[in-house]
Amino acid sequence: MIFKSLSAAALAAIASKHTAAFVPQQKGSHQTTRLLNQLDPVQVKKAGGGIPTVAAGGLLVFDPDANGKLQGTHVLQSRIMNGAAFQLAPPQISLDVPPSDATVEDAQHFLEHLDADGNLPLNFAKPQAPAKATVLGRTKLITEDAPGDIEHVILKLPEGFHYVEGQSLSVIPPGVDPKNGRKHKPRLYSIASTRYGDLLDGNTISLCVRRAEFIEPDGTKDP
C-alpha cells in the first residue's frame, strides 16, 4: 500500500451527508462562496474518500475557544462563516497591567517563542540520524467498506523535538522493504496538530494519514 496525504478533491469527498463544506468559486475578479450539502454517499465512496465515522466540526478533540488562545471570542467560527468577508481585529494595545474591567483568562503560550524571531525549529533529526517516536493512539476515520484507509495518528516525540503549524514530518517505518531488503525511505506527512499537540502538552504530534488503494483494470487490488 502507498501512504499519501489527502488531495483537495479527497478532502471534499470525505464530507458526510449532513456536513456543510464551503467551496470558493472564482467569478471574474470577485470570489463568492458556494455551500455544498447532502453529498451522495455512493458518489463520495467512488471519489475515494469514504464516509467519516467521526462527525466533523464537533470540536471533541480540541476546542479552540476552550483550549486555545481565542479565549471565548468565537473568532474561529466567525472566520469560517464569513469566509473572504472576515475582518481581522484592529491592532491591539499591549499593557503591562490589564484594565480594571477586563476579564483575564489563562492562555496556552509556552511554545509561542518557537517562531517568534521569524525562524523555524529545524533539523532536530536527520535521515541518517532519526529520532524515535512512540505511537500513543490511532483511529480509523472512515467506514470499513470505504476504499483504502484514513487514520488519525498521535505520536509522542522525544524531549526537545518541537515544531510549528505548517511544517511537515518525515516518518521512516521500522524494518526493511521486503522488495529489496533495504531500509524504508522517509515518507513526508503534513502535521495535523498545533505546536501543542492534541494532548496540549507540547510533546505530541498528530498526523492524518491516507493509505490509497489502487485497483487494476481487471479489478484486482494493487497490494
Side-chain angles (χ1 to χ4, degrees), residues 175-190:
V176 297
D177 189 336
K179 294 182 179 179
N180 53 33
R182 299 177 181 176
K183 292 182 179 180
H184 292 286
K185 295 181 179 180
R187 298 169 179 173
L188 188 65
Y189 299 100
S190 296

Side-chain angles (χ1 to χ4, degrees), residues 74-143:
H74 303 290
V75 171
L76 176 65
Q77 288 82 351
S78 177
R79 183 184 292 270
I80 294 174
M81 294 301 297
N82 291 304
F86 175 77
Q87 298 293 325
L88 294 174
Q92 303 296 311
I93 299 176
S94 298
L95 300 174
D96 294 331
V97 179
S100 58
D101 59 344
T103 300
V104 180
E105 298 181 6
D106 289 334
Q108 193 173 40
H109 63 280
F110 63 90
L111 292 178
E112 297 304 307
H113 67 279
L114 292 176
D115 56 352
D117 58 357
N119 297 318
L120 299 177
L122 300 172
N123 300 325
F124 179 89
K126 299 181 179 180
Q128 296 78 13
K132 290 185 178 181
T134 303
V135 178
L136 297 182
R138 50 185 289 188
T139 182
K140 189 178 179 69
L141 300 181
I142 57 177
T143 54

Side-chain angles (χ1 to χ4, degrees), residues 200-217:
L200 306 180
D201 59 358
N203 292 319
T204 57
I205 191 171
S206 295
L207 306 175
C208 186
V209 181
R210 179 182 183 185
R211 181 176 64 184
E213 186 176 83
F214 298 94
I215 302 177
E216 302 293 346

Side-chain angles (χ1 to χ4, degrees), residues 64-78:
D65 262 346
N67 308 112
K69 299 186 69 176
L70 299 182
Q71 301 183 357
T73 61
H74 303 290
V75 171
L76 176 65
Q77 288 82 351
S78 177

Side-chain angles (χ1 to χ4, degrees), residues 46-59:
K46 286 183 178 180
I51 305 301
T53 58
V54 179
L59 304 179

